[in-house]
Amino acid sequence: MYQKSQDDVFTDAVDVTLSATLRAPGASAAGIPSGQFTDTTANIAATAQKVIAFASGGTFLGSAIPSTRGTGGAPLLTDTGSQMTRTGASYEIETDGTGAITNVRVVQTRPAGATSAPTNPGAGPNLGANTQTIVFDATSLNNAFGQTNITGSLSIALAGTDLQPPTSGTDGVYEADPQSNGSFGLYVGGTGDIKLELVAALTNQTVTIKSIPAGTILPLQARKILIGDAATTATEILALY
């Protein structure tokens, strides 16, 4: 039986094993490798600095920007759009003393829900793909650096090393999406067991549901799944919202 606050149908799903979430701060501590940049910018102030920037476009749809997917726009929390700063990815751009862009780092937005030390909890929704682009036009760069004379643009092409599953920690914890009500249902495509934390349980109080048949939608609301735990043997798992 579903909780009274939950609908009987789901309208969104996340493949919790798919590597489509941006790593935070990137493929390494330095961020997204500079070899993936196409940089035509000019007139950035000749001083070493770090600024927070919002992408202006690109084929990667997980950035915190206004889009056709919602009626609101970044960065106000009161906006009603589905893609904005509280759920999408923003970026830290670093320049050297000549004003050249040296590093771009992804700002973490996903929860660090692991029971062990979190590793790259990631940023934005789980919908990235290799070769997609993140673009900062002159307007977005001027806004970020507090200038009016920057020209050109910065385009970043994503590589597979920039992406990860939407989990954190060595035990691979998937936690409820930040824009949900804090819980999710489950579809299991491959038979097996799942270790999870139910939404009304005490923090870190887990149970393991055994022998789930393939193609099952579980009538429960979970807060976390421990995908990387040895007790989880089921595959093709979708978090349902």
Side-chain angles (χ1 to χ4, degrees):
M1 183 72 68
Y2 292 114
Q3 298 181 32
K4 291 181 179 179
S5 61
Q6 301 296 327
D7 293 331
D8 288 333
V9 295
F10 298 100
T11 59
D12 194 10
V14 176
D15 184 336
V16 300
T17 60
L18 180 67
S19 292
T21 294
L22 278 181
R23 291 185 182 275
S28 71
I32 300 173
S34 58
Q36 296 164 216
F37 298 177
T38 300
D39 184 0
T40 63
T41 59
N43 303 324
I44 296 177
T47 182
Q49 58 182 315
K50 299 176 183 178
V51 299
I52 298 299
F54 297 97
S56 59
T59 55
F60 172 64
L61 297 178
S63 294
I65 58 174
S67 81
T68 56
R69 296 179 61 199
T71 57
L76 300 178
L77 293 180
T78 54
D79 290 338
T80 58
S82 58
Q83 201 171 352
M84 58 196 89
T85 57
R86 67 179 181 273
T87 56
S90 57
Y91 308 90
E92 180 187 75
I93 298 179
E94 182 176 3
T95 60
D96 63 17
T98 68
I101 295 173
T102 56
N103 295 293
V104 176
R105 300 180 181 90
V106 180
V107 177
Q108 177 186 321
T109 60
R110 293 200 63 81
T115 55
S116 60
T119 304
N120 279 331
N126 194 51
L127 47 68
N130 188 25
T131 74
Q132 286 183 335
T133 57
I134 302 167
V135 175
F136 303 87
D137 65 11
T139 298
S140 64
L141 292 170
N142 276 300
N143 289 338
F145 285 95
Q147 296 181 222
T148 58
N149 62 332
I150 296 174
T151 60
S153 65
L154 172 67
S155 179
I156 299 171
L158 294 177
T161 50
D162 300 315
L163 303 169
Q164 65 165 58
T167 57
S168 63
T170 55
D171 44 3
V173 173
Y174 175 79
E175 195 165 28
D177 194 277
Q179 60 185 325
S180 75
N181 64 355
S183 66
F184 52 88
L186 283 173
Y187 168 81
V188 181
T191 187
D193 308 337
I194 295 182
K195 187 174 183 178
L196 53 77
E197 187 175 311
L198 293 169
V199 68
L202 297 174
T203 301
N204 296 325
Q205 179 184 342
T206 60
V207 295
T208 301
I209 300 177
K210 300 277 191 176
S211 304
I212 304 167
T216 297
I217 294 178
L218 294 174
L220 54 76
Q221 291 294 317
R223 182 165 59 220
K224 297 178 184 178
I225 318 171
L226 280 72
I227 298 296
D229 193 285
T232 297
T233 59
T235 58
E236 301 174 18
I237 302 170
L238 302 181
L240 304 175
Y241 294 94

